[in-house]
Amino acid sequence: MEKRSLKSLTVGDKIKIIEEVKKGVKCKKDIASEFGIPASTLSTILKDKDKILKAVEEAPCLPRRKRFKASSFPEIEHAMTEWIKRVRDYNLPISGPLIQVKAAEFAKNLGLTFQASSGWLEKFKLRNRIVEKIISSESVAVSEVDSEHYRTNILPKYFSIVRHSGASSVFYLAQTYSKISKQLIRDNSNFLMILKQDDTNLRHIFNDHSSADMDFTEFRKISHLCWNHSDYGFLVIDKTREMNDGRYRCGFIRLLK
């Protein structure tokens, strides 16, 4: 008797089998015959039905693969997928380098020896169906309405959420300080790099961050000192530092107060 060769099923095939059984139109024997598998294999698939469906739900790209391998770092995988869900809730761009930086940060916090290599990144993206979203001057034009909605609604909410959910670095770049949301962003900022400003914006910065440290005349003086130091000079206010320990700096190095 000729020995029957075992057919290797993709995850997609297994889903189709589960769906056929669920329909109840064909008997299990006919379904097994249609897919070229023994009845025992079909029984095993139905036994593992919940596991298969859950895996596909968490990583929809899996149906094209014959088998899937779990991450070697489940703690990082879980932390990253939860973080990405929060980012996607606000339709914000995700890049490969950002994923790698965030994964390395989670690994450090968890005390794990882990390298967010390019190989890990590609496998992570495949497992979780990650599509990078890039915003640049070369991308498709965005309407002014969409841009305004992003600036006034989505980005401030994102800033507030990720800042209070363990993110160590959240950056907000703006040309006019007075137009930045005060409650969500200005009042939550703890590190400022201030390029040359007019007195109106400088006064807002002083009132928000420095009025307890000095008077406006002194603040204006050290601001101009930094701006005149070089063509791209800037004043740093690091609110995580104490006075006379780098709280105010010209650039990143020169201490003022």
Side-chain angles (χ1 to χ4, degrees):
M1 180 182 292
E2 184 180 352
K3 188 177 180 180
R4 179 189 296 180
S5 61
L6 296 177
K7 181 179 179 180
S8 181
L9 297 173
T10 67
V11 180
D13 291 333
K14 294 177 182 179
I15 293 173
K16 290 177 182 177
I17 290 171
I18 293 169
E19 290 174 345
E20 286 296 326
V21 173
K22 187 177 180 181
K23 288 177 184 176
V25 177
K26 303 175 184 177
C27 67
K28 293 180 181 178
K29 181 180 178 181
D30 290 341
I31 295 173
S33 177
E34 181 180 331
F35 283 87
I37 59 173
S40 59
T41 300
L42 186 143
S43 297
T44 300
I45 292 171
L46 296 178
K47 180 181 177 181
D48 295 337
K49 177 180 67 174
D50 292 339
K51 178 182 177 182
I52 294 169
L53 294 176
K54 182 179 179 181
V56 172
E57 181 182 354
E58 292 177 350
C61 62
L62 291 177
R64 294 188 294 274
R65 301 177 62 187
K66 292 186 178 180
R67 58 184 61 87
F68 47 90
K69 183 179 179 182
S71 169
S72 301
F73 296 89
E75 304 96 330
I76 296 175
E77 192 89 0
H78 175 72
M80 286 299 301
T81 52
E82 290 300 310
W83 176 75
I84 287 173
K85 284 177 185 177
R86 292 197 297 271
V87 173
R88 280 181 164 174
D89 283 343
Y90 291 95
N91 196 31
L92 290 166
I94 299 175
S95 69
L98 178 59
I99 292 173
Q100 289 172 289
V101 168
K102 196 64 185 176
E105 180 182 312
F106 280 127
K108 182 179 179 181
N109 293 338
L110 292 166
L112 298 173
T113 301
F114 166 81
Q115 184 176 1
S117 63
S118 298
W120 171 85
L121 174 63
E122 291 307 311
K123 291 176 183 176
F124 175 78
K125 286 159 60 179
L126 282 174
R127 283 195 300 269
N128 297 281
R129 203 184 183 187
I130 305 298
V131 178
E132 298 178 26
K133 295 183 179 181
I134 301 173
I135 295 178
S136 72
S137 58
E138 298 177 357
S139 61
V140 178
V142 179
S143 71
E144 291 184 6
V145 174
D146 288 340
S147 297
E148 180 65 17
H149 174 67
Y150 184 87
R151 184 182 69 81
T152 59
N153 295 304
I154 295 177
L155 194 54
K157 289 179 182 178
Y158 174 68
F159 182 97
S160 179
I161 286 175
V162 297
R163 182 179 183 273
H164 295 289
S165 63
S168 62
S169 300
V170 180
F171 298 92
Y172 192 104
L173 180 65
Q175 185 174 8
T176 306
Y177 180 84
S178 60
K179 291 186 178 181
I180 301 173
S181 171
K182 177 171 171 53
Q183 289 184 330
L184 285 176
I185 298 177
R186 284 159 53 180
D187 289 349
N188 282 302
S189 299
N190 55 26
F191 190 94
L192 293 87
M193 297 167 54
I194 306 166
L195 294 166
K196 191 171 184 178
Q197 303 283 317
D198 59 28
D199 276 356
T200 298
N201 283 289
L202 194 60
R203 175 70 73 172
H204 281 294
I205 296 170
F206 169 77
N207 290 337
D208 289 345
H209 306 286
S210 302
S211 58
D213 297 333
M214 65 190 81
D215 59 34
F216 179 69
T217 300
E218 185 177 5
F219 180 71
R220 187 176 186 276
K221 179 180 178 180
I222 65 172
S223 298
H224 281 271
L225 176 67
C226 295
W227 298 336
N228 295 331
H229 182 67
S230 67
D231 291 339
Y232 302 101
F234 56 90
L235 169 67
V236 165
I237 303 178
D238 184 351
K239 298 173 72 173
T240 66
R241 298 285 193 92
E242 298 295 330
M243 286 291 289
N244 301 317
D245 186 33
R247 188 178 182 89
Y248 293 88
R249 305 196 292 272
C250 274
F252 295 117
I253 300 175
R254 183 181 175 189
L255 302 185
L256 294 171
K257 289 183 177 292

